[in-house]
Amino acid sequence: MSVLDIRDLKVEFPGRKSTFVAVQGVHLEVEAGKILGVVGESGAGKSTVGNAVIGLLQEPGRIAQGEIRLHDDRIDTLPEKQKRHIRGRKIGMIFQDPLTSLDPLQTVESQLVETIRTHLPLSSSQARARAIELIDAVGIPNPSERISQYPHQFSGGMRQRVVIALALCAEPELVIADEPTTALDVSIQAQILELMKRLCADRNVAMMVITHDMGVIADITDHVAVMYHGKLVEYGETHQVLGAPQHRYTQSLISAVPRPDVRVERFPVVDYIEKAGKPAKQIDIATHWLGQTRDYTKTDGPLVEIEDLTMRFEVKGSLIPSRRKHFDAVKAVSFDIKEGETFGVVGESGSGKSTIARIITGLYHPTAGTIRFAGTDLTSLTNRRQILAMRRQMQMIFQDPYSSLNARMRVRDIIAEPIKFHRLASSNSEVRQIVEDLLDHVGLGAAAGKKFPHEFSGGQRQRISIARALATRPRFLLCDEPTSALDVSIQAQILNLLKDLQDELGLTMMFISHDLAVIRQMCNRIAVMKNGELCEVADCDTLFESPQHDYTRHLLKLMPSMELLSRANIETA
Amino acid sequence: MLGFAMRRLVQAMIVMLVVALLAFTLFRFVGDPVNQMVGVETSLEQREALRESLGLNDPVPVQFWRFISNAAQFDFGTSYQFRQPVSDLFAKRIPATLELSFVSALFALIVGIPMGVYAGLNRESAVSKLFLSVSLVGISLPTFLIGILLIFVFSVNLQWLPSFGRGETVQIGGWWTTGFLTVSGLKALILPSITLGLYQMTLIMRLIRAEMLEVIRTDYIKFARARGLPDRLVHFRHALKNTLIPVITITGLQLGAIIAFATITETVFQWPGMGLMFLQAVQNVDIPIMSAYLLLTAFLFVSINFIVDILYFLIDPRLRVERA
Amino acid sequence: MSDVSEKQTESVIATDRDTGAPDTMSAFGRFMDSDILHSFLRSKVAVIAAIGTFMFFILAFTAPWIAPHDPFDLASISILDARVPPIWMDYADPRFLLGTDDQGRDLLSGIFYGMRISLIVGFCSVIAAAIIGISLGLVAGYMGGRVDAVIMRIADVQLTFPAILIALLIDGAARGIFGSLDREVFSFWILIFALALSFWVQYARTVRGSTMVEKNKEYVQAARVIGIPSIIIMVRHILPNVTGPVLVIATINLALAIVTEATLSFLGVGMPPTQPSLGTLIAIGNDFLYSGEWWIAIFPGLALALLVLNVNLLGDWLRDALNPKLR
């Protein structure tokens, strides 16, 4: 018998003008000791399902139809007071961000004890003993000591363990985890998933995991429900849904997940969600502005040479030098990037990969080391005109499509700014023509120039960013996690676009990502970084087939296998 | 803890030094001190002798040093208007101002905090909306106008309460006089302290409400609810405690502001405190009183800020550990 | 502690806004809680406040044409008309709707003219404070380091003193310096100077805070990668993105400046009785409160309270509409 039974659920948010239906016609069941995954891209309504179950729908949301049963008892119609007795007692909840889920002013102990004593008839010393037991169970070393600490004394992964302990306080029958690992690094993510899987089996808890990540689904779930625009499009056993998807949306979603095992030339075209406009006119690069003036000095050696690059930040200033604290973001890193290749940099957060990109583009001034670009030492340049000439040759695409465009400027002004600033066009009408061609070329259409950035989706904004980067006719393009903020189907489109542009324009690229699968699809050579140090540099296939460094092997082991995922449609696409 | 307190203390001293420099500049360079002290018929030689005896011909740093060390010994020079030592004048008036400020602050806190908490937790209720509307009126009415209106209603028309002065006062110790011990003294306190405290009360109320609304939206409150904790725990143990940090900061500043705003209230109610004296000094360009008042209020503000910082430290564990 | 994925989750939330789907509680919550619904609920108040403020502006700035009398025209003022009560009381004079003051000036006309002076002083000081505060805040926030430290320490020290005290001190000092000069000419400028210097800190702190947030956003970094110089980045890219909070502060500061000016004038250190602002009028009336001639103080007082209330309501609404998180 299932622990949780959702039947024909419909959740709506009445607004002033119209009622927004967030979830419609959803049937789900979770059994004890099993994990159900709810997967979907942003806007799918998957979190709304979780919030509806625990009775914490954001105002003015309401359940308009259907029933939610916990062990055959309806819980969606209970009065608020009784719902509170179910929360925590029968249903535990795990939220996404462990950094903000805990009250910063209370010790872990007091948060655990108050939750335990709210639900169980225990004395405070019994509750404390139970709290220590729980902390131990979620794998935090020295439980009796650490329990009296405050949340900020724990790392992100440890805090998520505390959150899990809090969810398990009163032995709930059901645990709902809303993106439990999205805010964590890969290696921590693997540990937390392992822990959840183990707790689920040991305690015979039913678990519902809400995520956008196919890797998480493939790794730990028994059943999976695929949601799209508030509707359940596919539901079944995980190996079946991933192995032989029936619905077109599931198929395109799976095909868009980058493959970690084999390199494919292009991602299969995914147009179920957001169609990318085909360029209205084909540009002949040989004659077009974009292809002109390759006046850059030819180099025989590598295009970019980095030697002993070091970046030291002052963490804590002090008048006395010995009391200053430093943080070395990049430690004596050296590598070369050849003309025309895509050079990948992979690493977890804090590995210094983004810092390197920012040093190369001149956003940071390095503490030590040299950067040579086409034979010129960038660190020794002092003449502003020379610096500008170099800047023009390298451009950057940023991670966050929402903050990388100035919200107060029209798209055409955003793209025209670098052209005008570097005086790359002779007249205003020429600038306008170039901007329209660029917008057309990245798949947005010339008419997009009149609009403001907020009128576009994340993927479209990333296309605008790319158009802006191309507007200085760069030779070298740095991409700093260009797709990590995007849904996976959009990611595939953007990666395809980048590949196409590189082929056409002969760009050299440095591609930074935390996602090994993406790196594998995009790069010729790869550098692995950890804590500011370079672990190894190798050709793409060499790195994946026979990694030399321990850390590389560790990272590769953590990659979700995705073996379950059907690839049948890739060949047909 | 000690290191943190020391650092704050050093910062406070730097602030005091900057203020002292301002006060000195005011004292020394605004108008000619000699001209203020002598009559029209004083000869040039006499003026020069006076200038020499006051040390006004010494190098400026020497004069500044003398100014600071005098101030540290409560010697602020002689008032131009009253021809008396400024410190004596202040000593006579400080009790009046402090008593008034204390009662007003108490009023602002005791009424403002519960109103703010209530309005933050029940944002949609009619009472909260009433609180909010009243507070907006409170903010819009200038202090002096509130005073005038209160006098007009309660003193002129109803004749319930006195409209000026402190009433009867009782001498305590060598120099402190208090209005707390007589009926007329207490009655005289009512209107001025409401006038003075009303604005701070509305500010505190609005601030606490805003902070509460902010904290209620955070993830940890959502998580606390999802764990099934009762509202009592969620609201008071988690939400209220997290609003305290900004509230204490602003409240501290507001308490300092009360002493400065006392100037206005004291003028309206002819309350014999140091604010009234300061205002008369501004009108008559009595520089020694002005610079002494500047130093004195700065000292009060800096002390309040110092206490606020220490409180901060006791509430927030993140600060404690970082400094340890 | 992954900054990458934090951003990622942020944008996951943000994408919901595009589709309008409440996938995450907070996105929808923010939407429902802030802009549209809130300003809608309050819009009736806001509309009334806007109309009220506008009317006060019209009355104030057309005072010379619509006021029934000219309070500055000595020829038309007669001391015999002094302290005439409002029209509905005994011994009233039909020429003076709200009665007259101690010199026989028509109170209604005095209020129109006084409001004019109050508003002019308010506007000028708000603009002056905004210009000082915005420039210093931008520079401090963008440059950081020593420049920032110096500007912000000054601001901190000043912030410990309430504006009214600073205005009083500046006024007092100015009297010491310009003591011999004509007060009527200088009062106005001294007032604006004192108010501007008292209020700049708020702008500077807010603009600095927003600038520090904006300068780390990737659009600013993109502009730097293109090679655009700092000054252009500050003016063209950052400034337009920090105007929202500035507008709110300016509105609320207008109310505060009017109140502070009125207070200074009431205390006798603001506008002189020959050029009376609302505060000066109330100060004059205060002397007659006890002798039964209440209207001389109360009517200008009401006008002042209503004017400030309207501006405050407008500012309150603007704050909620533009940014629910701003304080």
Side-chain angles (χ1 to χ4, degrees), chain B residues 26 30 123 132 136 140-142 144-145 148 152 206 211 217 222 260 264 283 285 290 293-294 298 301 305, chain C residues 25 33 38 42 160-162 165 169 172-173 176 263 266-267 282 294 301 304-305 308-309 312-313 316 319 327:
Chain B
L26 200 63
V30 174
R123 67 177 302 188
L132 219 57
L136 206 64
S140 301
L141 283 176
F144 71 92
L145 201 55
I148 290 177
F152 181 60
R206 288 168 74 89
E211 281 302 323
R217 273 202 292 260
K222 236 181 279 169
I264 303 162
Q283 285 163 339
V285 201
M290 278 167 70
Y293 183 79
L294 178 64
F301 290 163
N305 271 351
Chain C
M25 271 164 69
D33 204 52
H38 225 89
R42 291 183 162 217
T160 48
F161 298 91
L165 192 58
L169 278 167
T263 306
F266 173 78
L267 296 177
I282 299 168
W294 52 270
L304 175 66
V308 175
L309 181 66
N312 263 335
L313 278 172
D316 223 38
R319 164 171 52 191
R327 268 195 309 280

Side-chain angles (χ1 to χ4, degrees), chain B residues 15 18-19 22 26 29-31 123-124 129 132-133 136-137 139-145 148-149 151-152 155-156 163-164 199 206-207 209-211 214 217 219 222 246 253 256-258 260-261 263-264 267-268 278-279 282-283 285 287 290-291 293-294 297-298 301-302 305, chain C residues 25-26 29-30 33-34 38 41-42 45 156-157 159-165 168-177 256 259 262-264 266-269 278-279 282-283 286 289-292 294 297-298 300-302 304-305 308-310 312-313 316 319 324-327:
Chain B
V15 171
V18 172
V19 174
L22 275 175
L26 200 63
F29 297 107
V30 174
R123 67 177 302 188
E124 292 305 327
K129 284 183 178 153
L132 219 57
S133 319
L136 206 64
V137 177
I139 284 185
S140 301
L141 283 176
T143 309
F144 71 92
L145 201 55
I148 290 177
L149 289 176
I151 290 178
F152 181 60
S155 305
V156 177
S163 66
F164 65 91
Y199 181 71
R206 288 168 74 89
L207 175 78
R209 173 183 170 273
E211 281 302 323
E214 192 107 318
R217 273 202 292 260
D219 282 356
K222 236 181 279 169
L253 282 178
I258 278 188
F261 277 114
T263 311
I264 303 162
T267 311
V268 176
F278 168 64
L279 191 79
V282 170
Q283 285 163 339
V285 201
I287 301 290
M290 278 167 70
S291 71
Y293 183 79
L294 178 64
T297 43
F301 290 163
V302 166
N305 271 351
Chain C
M25 271 164 69
S26 56
R30 235 180 287 148
D33 204 52
S34 61
H38 225 89
L41 278 179
R42 291 183 162 217
V45 179
D156 279 350
V157 173
L159 201 71
T160 48
F161 298 91
I164 183 90
L165 192 58
L168 270 174
L169 278 167
I170 293 173
D171 200 283
R175 278 153 187 282
I177 296 166
L256 210 58
V259 167
T263 306
L264 289 174
F266 173 78
L267 296 177
V269 292
L278 289 176
I282 299 168
N286 192 34
L289 203 56
Y290 304 99
S291 49
W294 52 270
I298 298 298
L302 279 178
L304 175 66
V308 175
L309 181 66
N310 272 302
N312 263 335
L313 278 172
D316 223 38
R319 164 171 52 191
K325 288 207 155 183
L326 188 116
R327 268 195 309 280

Side-chain angles (χ1 to χ4, degrees), chain B residues 76-95:
Chain B
F76 302 105
T78 308
S79 158
Y80 298 160
Q81 306 168 74
F82 303 103
R83 311 280 161 184
Q84 283 180 45
V86 172
S87 46
D88 291 356
L89 289 168
F90 271 103
K92 254 183 267 169
R93 287 157 190 264
I94 279 180

Side-chain angles (χ1 to χ4, degrees), chain A residues 370-382:
Chain A
T370 53
I371 306 158
R372 261 189 297 282
F373 184 82
T376 315
D377 185 357
L378 293 184
T379 42
S380 66
L381 284 183
T382 48

Side-chain angles (χ1 to χ4, degrees), chain B residues 51-323:
Chain B
R51 187 174 291 277
E52 189 62 42
S53 73
L54 285 172
L56 293 179
N57 292 333
D58 292 342
V60 172
V62 175
Q63 292 188 43
F64 181 48
W65 175 248
R66 195 184 304 133
F67 177 81
I68 296 179
S69 47
N70 284 346
Q73 297 160 40
F74 300 107
D75 175 6
F76 302 105
T78 308
S79 158
Y80 298 160
Q81 306 168 74
F82 303 103
R83 311 280 161 184
Q84 283 180 45
V86 172
S87 46
D88 291 356
L89 289 168
F90 271 103
K92 254 183 267 169
R93 287 157 190 264
I94 279 180
T97 297
L98 286 187
E99 283 189 354
L100 174 62
S101 304
F102 175 74
V103 176
S104 313
L106 216 60
F107 164 71
L109 289 175
I110 288 176
V111 182
I113 292 179
M115 275 170 81
V117 171
Y118 180 84
L121 292 177
N122 311 294
R123 67 177 302 188
E124 292 305 327
S125 87
V127 180
S128 307
K129 284 183 178 153
L130 183 75
F131 282 175
L132 219 57
S133 319
V134 170
S135 79
L136 206 64
V137 177
I139 284 185
S140 301
L141 283 176
T143 309
F144 71 92
L145 201 55
I146 293 173
I148 290 177
L149 289 176
L150 286 177
I151 290 178
F152 181 60
V153 175
F154 292 100
S155 305
V156 177
N157 282 339
L158 299 172
Q159 305 207 326
W160 287 352
L161 296 164
S163 66
F164 65 91
R166 284 183 83 189
E168 261 177 77
T169 56
V170 177
Q171 181 112 5
I172 297 177
W175 54 283
W176 191 276
T177 55
T178 180
F180 287 158
L181 298 175
T182 61
V183 177
S184 75
L186 287 173
K187 269 174 100 175
L189 259 170
I190 296 176
L191 290 185
S193 49
I194 289 179
T195 307
L196 185 51
L198 203 62
Y199 181 71
Q200 320 298 327
M201 186 205 89
T202 35
L203 270 187
I204 289 172
M205 185 217 125
R206 288 168 74 89
L207 175 78
I208 293 205
R209 173 183 170 273
E211 281 302 323
M212 271 299 218
L213 288 178
E214 192 107 318
V215 170
I216 290 286
R217 273 202 292 260
T218 57
D219 282 356
Y220 54 83
I221 294 298
K222 236 181 279 169
F223 187 44
R225 284 195 205 287
R227 298 204 299 271
L229 296 183
D231 286 350
R232 177 177 45 86
L233 282 184
V234 174
H235 291 161
F236 294 102
R237 189 184 291 178
H238 293 286
L240 188 58
K241 198 168 175 192
N242 273 286
T243 58
L244 279 183
I245 292 173
V247 167
I248 285 180
T249 320
I250 305 289
T251 310
L253 282 178
Q254 290 311 317
L255 293 186
I258 278 188
I259 291 165
F261 277 114
T263 311
I264 303 162
T265 311
E266 286 176 10
T267 311
V268 176
F269 290 92
Q270 291 299 303
W271 189 266
M274 55 182 192
L276 186 60
M277 185 171 68
F278 168 64
L279 191 79
Q280 285 160 355
V282 170
Q283 285 163 339
N284 298 316
V285 201
D286 192 343
I287 301 290
I289 290 185
M290 278 167 70
S291 71
Y293 183 79
L294 178 64
L295 277 176
L296 221 66
T297 43
F299 181 72
L300 280 169
F301 290 163
V302 166
S303 314
I304 290 172
N305 271 351
F306 182 69
I307 295 167
V308 164
D309 279 336
I310 300 294
L311 279 178
Y312 228 82
F313 192 81
L314 293 177
I315 289 178
D316 194 340
R318 285 166 292 194
L319 278 176
R320 268 202 306 266
V321 171
E322 200 182 308
R323 310 288 173 188

